[in-house]
Amino acid sequence: MSWSPERSRCGAAGGPVRGSWWRLAVLLVSASSLPAVTALVEGLYCGTEVCYDVLGVTREASKAEIARAYRQLARRYHPDRYKPEEPGDEESAEKFLLIATAYETLKDEDTRRDYDYMLDHPEEYYQHYYAYYRRRLAPKVDVRIVILVTICTISIIQYYSWFNSYNKAISYLVTVPKYRIQATEIAKQQGLLNRTKEKGKNRRSKEEIREQEEEVIRDIIKNKIDIKGGYKKPKVSDILLCQMVLFPYYLGLYVAWYVSWVYRFTICREEYGEEEKLYIIRRYMKMSRSQFDDLDEDAKQTFLEKQIWIRENYESCLEKLQERIHESRTAK
């Protein structure tokens, strides 16, 4: 192929022309996106102003330098103290607001880090919007504190509700003949109901004596009679807060118990004791410990005599068992 001036000029001119068109296309695309980027930035931080420039500090300024610059500008541009240099210069409030915004942005390390990232990566404007509003809308209080206060509040309400129900249950049991007779016998044995003749100023009315006797019976039912099931006195260890604190301890006890159960009765093939038999029966009946403890001893003894811990016996006696449980609860 022979060389010619025309080919040389076309080749030399063609490259720059194509390069110019390519650069022009990039500029047009960038220019078309500028309005959108600018509109997004105006709503963030200091808007189109650089927060560092607003305070007159560099990006390497320390927190002390930023605070000092803010105090100087705040004293100068505070609306109550600012004196316009020219007539009509009444923008001190907007200037002061911009200074305060710049300071709020730069004094917090996390917010300042987000702002610096926005200055270094202006093209990621959607990410900047997310980071900006996430920090503004995020709760100012530590979430762990909120959870702890919520758990404590629930625990207090829980204990108060249980104790109130317990007092109502005791008031009911005082009227039940079974418990009242039992409490009266204990009070007489301890000499708490012996009526002595009182004379003079110390003499009490029959109503006062009756109220004292009722209080004695109530106290005996609460403290000296074995009350089971839903009438048991509430314990602080049963509230939600204590249960959460003691959960690792209870979990460890359960794991140790389960391992012992498997080793004794699955591997070593030991025979079940009375406690283990009652546990299996309670599990078959799908009852909680308090519900099962509320049953009378005769019912539990009947379960053991009929060997209800064996699955086949339990299924065959299920209907009679339910009737026995109903009779036991009705008797109480």
Side-chain angles (χ1 to χ4, degrees):
M1 182 179 294
S2 61
W3 176 87
S4 64
E6 290 80 2
R7 181 179 296 277
S8 178
R9 285 193 297 271
C10 292
V17 170
R18 287 194 295 271
S20 299
W21 279 106
W22 180 81
R23 284 193 294 272
L24 181 60
V26 172
L27 289 173
L28 288 174
V29 172
S30 301
S32 63
S33 62
L34 279 177
V37 175
T38 302
L40 288 170
V41 172
E42 285 180 354
L44 305 182
Y45 306 107
C46 298
T48 56
E49 299 285 340
V50 179
C51 292
Y52 291 101
D53 295 342
V54 172
L55 297 180
V57 296
T58 63
R59 290 185 61 173
E60 291 75 24
S62 64
K63 293 181 67 173
E65 292 173 342
I66 291 173
R68 185 166 53 252
Y70 166 72
R71 286 194 296 269
Q72 293 174 354
L73 293 172
R75 285 194 297 266
R76 178 181 176 185
Y77 288 99
H78 194 281
D80 296 337
R81 304 179 60 180
Y82 179 68
K83 296 181 180 180
E85 298 178 358
E86 299 179 0
D89 186 10
E90 303 295 344
E91 298 180 355
S92 62
E94 296 181 5
K95 181 69 175 179
F96 181 77
L97 180 61
L98 182 61
I99 293 170
T101 303
Y103 176 65
E104 292 292 329
T105 301
L106 300 180
K107 75 172 184 177
D108 183 76
E109 294 182 359
D110 295 332
T111 308
R112 182 177 181 180
R113 189 183 305 112
D114 292 342
Y115 183 68
D116 289 343
Y117 185 83
M118 187 187 76
L119 295 178
D120 296 332
H121 305 83
E123 71 281 356
E124 300 180 14
Y125 44 87
Y126 294 117
Q127 172 65 22
H128 305 325
Y129 257 90
Y130 170 76
Y132 177 78
Y133 285 106
R134 177 175 61 85
R135 294 203 181 278
R136 287 178 64 88
L137 300 177
K140 303 299 181 182
V141 182
D142 192 340
V143 177
R144 293 170 294 184
I145 297 178
V146 175
I147 294 175
L148 179 60
V149 171
T150 302
I151 293 175
C152 291
T153 304
I154 293 174
S155 300
I156 294 173
I157 296 174
Q158 186 181 40
Y159 185 77
Y160 175 78
S161 176
W162 285 351
F163 206 86
N164 189 41
S165 300
Y166 170 72
N167 287 331
K168 290 181 179 179
I170 294 298
S171 299
Y172 165 72
L173 292 178
V174 170
T175 63
V176 177
K178 173 184 175 180
Y179 291 99
R180 187 176 183 85
I181 294 172
Q182 189 177 354
T184 303
E185 291 297 328
I186 295 175
K188 288 180 178 180
Q189 293 173 5
Q190 296 180 357
L192 300 176
L193 294 182
N194 294 332
R195 299 188 179 185
T196 58
K197 295 183 178 180
E198 300 173 347
K199 298 180 180 180
K201 297 181 179 180
N202 296 327
R203 186 175 182 179
R204 296 173 299 170
S205 63
K206 293 182 179 180
E207 185 175 348
E208 290 176 343
I209 296 174
R210 190 181 304 109
E211 289 179 357
Q212 184 180 10
E213 291 178 351
E214 289 294 325
E215 189 64 29
V216 169
I217 293 174
R218 180 184 180 89
D219 184 68
I220 291 176
I221 291 176
K222 287 173 63 175
N223 301 314
K224 298 183 179 181
I225 294 181
D226 185 18
I227 302 175
K228 299 179 180 180
Y231 300 134
K232 293 181 65 176
K233 188 175 182 178
K235 299 179 180 178
V236 177
S237 58
D238 293 334
I239 63 176
L240 178 62
L241 179 61
C242 293
Q243 289 292 310
M244 294 183 66
V245 172
L246 297 175
F247 175 76
Y249 171 73
Y250 291 140
L251 180 61
L253 289 180
Y254 175 76
V255 171
W257 171 86
Y258 183 78
V259 171
S260 175
W261 181 281
V262 172
Y263 176 76
R264 291 174 57 193
F265 304 113
T266 303
I267 298 177
C268 298
R269 301 289 181 177
E270 292 185 15
E271 293 186 1
Y272 295 127
E274 181 175 315
E275 184 179 351
E276 288 76 22
K277 291 175 182 178
L278 291 175
Y279 166 74
I280 295 174
I281 293 172
R282 178 168 66 85
R283 189 177 62 180
Y284 285 162
M285 297 170 66
K286 299 180 180 179
M287 298 176 66
S288 65
R289 179 180 292 275
S290 60
Q291 290 174 330
F292 192 78
D293 291 342
D294 196 32
L295 301 177
D296 57 36
E297 295 299 326
D298 293 338
K300 296 178 183 178
Q301 193 62 35
T302 302
F303 300 157
L304 294 174
E305 291 174 358
K306 295 182 176 296
Q307 298 184 345
I308 302 300
W309 71 88
I310 300 175
R311 187 73 183 185
E312 292 77 8
N313 295 343
Y314 170 75
E315 292 177 351
S316 62
C317 299
L318 183 58
E319 293 184 2
K320 294 182 179 179
L321 192 62
Q322 291 176 344
E323 293 178 0
R324 185 73 180 87
I325 293 172
H326 178 71
E327 292 176 359
S328 175
R329 290 178 174 174
T330 303
K332 283 184 173 291

